[in-house]
Amino acid sequence: MNSNSDFLVLFLAPVREFLEDDSVSEILINGASQIYVERRGKLELTSAKFAGEAQLMAAAANIAKSVDRILDERHPDLDARLPDGSRVHATIPPISRCGTIISIRKFKKDILTLDKLESFSSIPHEGALLLNAIVKLRKNTIVSGGTSSGKTSVLNAMSGLIPEKDRILVLEDASELQLQQKHCVYFETRKPDKNGEGEFSIRDLVIASLRLRPDRLVIGEIRGKEALDLLQAMNTGHSGSMSTIHANSPIDALRRMETCALMSGVELPLSAVRMQVASAINCLVHTMRLPDGSRKVVDISEVLPLENGDYKTSKLMEWKTKSISPDGTVCGAFRLCNRPSFAGEAQIMGIELPQYS
Ligand SMILES: Nc1ncnc2c1ncn2[C@@H]1O[C@H](COP(=O)(O)OP(=O)(O)O)[C@@H](O)[C@H]1O
Ligand SMILES: [Mg+2]
């Protein structure tokens, strides 16, 4: 952490060692006397404690103050970022029933590239080749998965495959992505201030960004109404855009996009929204955190045209878990499934694809 965060570190003293320990990825404070950390994908209960609820509440209030927000009975929930880029979420009683709850997701200093994901067996070489073709052929892609399944990391790794010649606009709620290209322009949303004014949402950013001549839009996460604007952008020539969404399966990701688009308030029949989703999104990449704490790309699928009004996908690659040993180790294998419909396109462009039998 840097010097202007000294006062926060002071208030967060009981968890300071974890803030400074690079092997810790998350710190979960459940009231003053129960603190868990995550290391290598696994949660550990620590012996660290805050002196009491008042001290913990003071830490939360100071985090809120550092970002000019209020955390009190009327505003019991806070999303913020520490000066080092770590993301913090705080919730206080009576919303939380066991004292002040703070979760800190540490800012990752080293970027997970596709090569690194391959070396961790998070994706096989064939999967990496598929992702490369998907990005190079400008397929619009959504990375889906549960909380902390590795969506943002995969999005970041995929963004590394975007050619240098493209102008990339990065839109995020809280800045996490670190692209390697030179021609990248970063935007971040702004929360409403104490008076509830001045909000600039992801949706506002999507609309604004379209006037800034993007070759590619990279959006941190789709959570709401902005889905419709993104779908329209993807359908009107902004191909090769990518984002993430919280979902339990690839098909669920399409349904979530649909639900989010319907939240926009624009009167559109469901069938029209479905058609937009199915034509805007070309590929789905699904991530999962397995019981042994490892994260994997468990599915890469293509989106096909609607069939009888419902979504249809074609699986290109999948991970199949075969067994889970008593110590939690997961045994399984990746396997290639259907040949991509863009195989011909890839061949013309000289892009290598895995060998499909
Ligand atoms: N393949 C991976 N192997 C090891 N750690 C990973 C992997 N992918 C992500 N992580 C770590 O897991 C945590 C959550 O990852 P993140 O990409 O932010 O998940 P999500 O966006 O799904 O919430 C981060 O600390 C990240 O560094
Ligand atoms: Mg994320």
Side-chain angles (χ1 to χ4, degrees):
M1 299 206 126
N2 55 30
S3 59
N4 69 11
S5 61
D6 281 354
F7 86 100
L8 279 183
V9 171
L10 207 68
F11 280 99
L12 290 169
V15 293
R16 181 175 187 158
E17 63 171 303
F18 309 125
L19 287 168
E20 287 167 359
D21 178 348
D22 285 340
S23 72
V24 170
S25 51
E26 306 213 13
I27 305 168
L28 306 168
I29 304 168
N30 306 333
S33 52
Q34 190 189 61
I35 301 175
Y36 283 88
V37 295
E38 189 195 82
R39 278 195 180 91
R40 286 172 284 281
K42 286 198 170 160
L43 290 177
E44 300 165 13
L45 179 62
T46 70
S47 56
K49 288 182 179 25
F50 279 78
E53 178 58 25
Q55 195 203 18
L56 177 57
M57 181 58 211
N62 274 284
I63 293 169
K65 204 169 151 203
S66 74
V67 289
D68 200 22
R69 304 257 305 285
I70 298 174
L71 187 65
D72 62 16
E73 250 185 60
R74 284 192 57 213
H75 314 86
D77 183 74
L78 172 84
D79 243 329
R81 204 146 47 94
L82 294 182
D84 74 343
S86 297
R87 278 171 62 176
V88 186
H89 192 96
T91 312
I92 60 169
I95 303 303
S96 87
R97 293 177 51 198
C98 46
T100 298
I101 308 295
I102 302 180
S103 70
I104 302 176
R105 172 163 306 172
K106 301 263 299 284
F107 186 74
K108 260 275 203 242
K109 292 184 202 100
D110 54 329
I111 308 166
L112 283 174
T113 58
L114 207 52
D115 286 345
K116 280 199 193 141
L117 293 182
E118 232 186 285
S119 73
F120 299 160
S121 302
S122 292
I123 189 167
H125 184 61
E126 288 82 356
L129 287 177
L130 281 172
L131 294 190
N132 180 54
I134 285 167
V135 175
K136 297 279 160 43
L137 293 172
R138 310 188 67 96
K139 303 294 174 199
N140 292 319
T141 304
I142 300 289
V143 181
S144 57
T147 305
S148 194
S149 59
K151 302 181 292 295
T152 303
S153 304
V154 167
L155 180 71
N156 206 67
M158 285 183 74
S159 73
L161 301 163
I162 298 175
E164 278 286 351
K165 66 175 175 49
D166 285 354
R167 171 171 162 86
I168 311 168
L169 301 194
V170 182
L171 319 181
E172 290 179 279
D173 260 326
S175 151
E176 276 187 290
L177 295 166
Q178 305 172 68
L179 274 68
Q180 291 140 51
Q181 290 84 343
K182 253 194 252 113
H183 198 162
C184 261
V185 194
Y186 291 88
F187 297 89
E188 199 177 16
T189 56
R190 187 173 60 196
K191 294 257 164 42
D193 65 15
K194 291 179 209 166
N195 308 316
E197 287 167 9
E199 182 179 15
F200 209 79
S201 67
I202 277 274
R203 182 170 207 194
D204 298 325
L205 280 181
V206 174
I207 295 166
S209 68
L210 294 177
R211 298 190 210 108
L212 296 170
R213 198 212 165 273
D215 285 317
R216 308 258 192 168
L217 291 180
V218 178
I219 302 178
E221 187 172 349
I222 298 293
R223 292 175 214 260
K225 306 169 182 171
E226 66 278 5
L228 187 66
D229 305 277
L230 177 64
L231 290 173
Q232 280 167 352
M234 285 172 159
N235 271 328
T236 52
H238 295 280
S239 60
S241 297
M242 47 183 93
S243 187
T244 73
I245 201 162
H246 187 112
N248 298 325
S249 68
I251 289 277
D252 186 38
L254 297 176
R255 295 200 193 290
R256 289 264 308 139
M257 279 300 285
E258 173 186 302
T259 308
C260 289
L262 288 167
M263 283 157 72
S264 69
V266 177
E267 289 286 324
L268 275 176
L270 179 62
S271 58
V273 174
R274 274 207 182 152
M275 218 125 78
Q276 288 224 23
V277 171
S279 67
I281 299 168
N282 309 121
C283 294
L284 297 166
V285 178
H286 192 67
T287 58
M288 199 180 264
R289 194 168 74 125
L290 301 185
D292 62 358
S294 67
R295 276 130 174 142
K296 289 195 194 297
V297 171
V298 294
D299 190 304
I300 302 177
S301 286
E302 256 187 285
V303 182
L304 302 179
L306 293 176
E307 203 173 82
N308 302 323
D310 210 348
Y311 297 113
K312 193 162 184 244
T313 58
S314 161
K315 221 187 262 295
L316 309 183
M317 186 213 84
E318 69 173 352
W319 163 267
K320 272 258 181 266
T321 296
K322 294 194 180 110
S323 64
I324 301 171
S325 63
D327 71 348
T329 311
V330 176
C331 202
F334 289 104
R335 111 188 150 87
L336 288 174
C337 310
N338 299 320
R339 195 183 170 78
S341 71
F342 50 78
E345 237 179 296
Q347 195 184 13
I348 292 168
M349 304 284 287
I351 297 166
E352 185 185 357
L353 277 182
Q355 289 287 328
Y356 279 85
S357 46

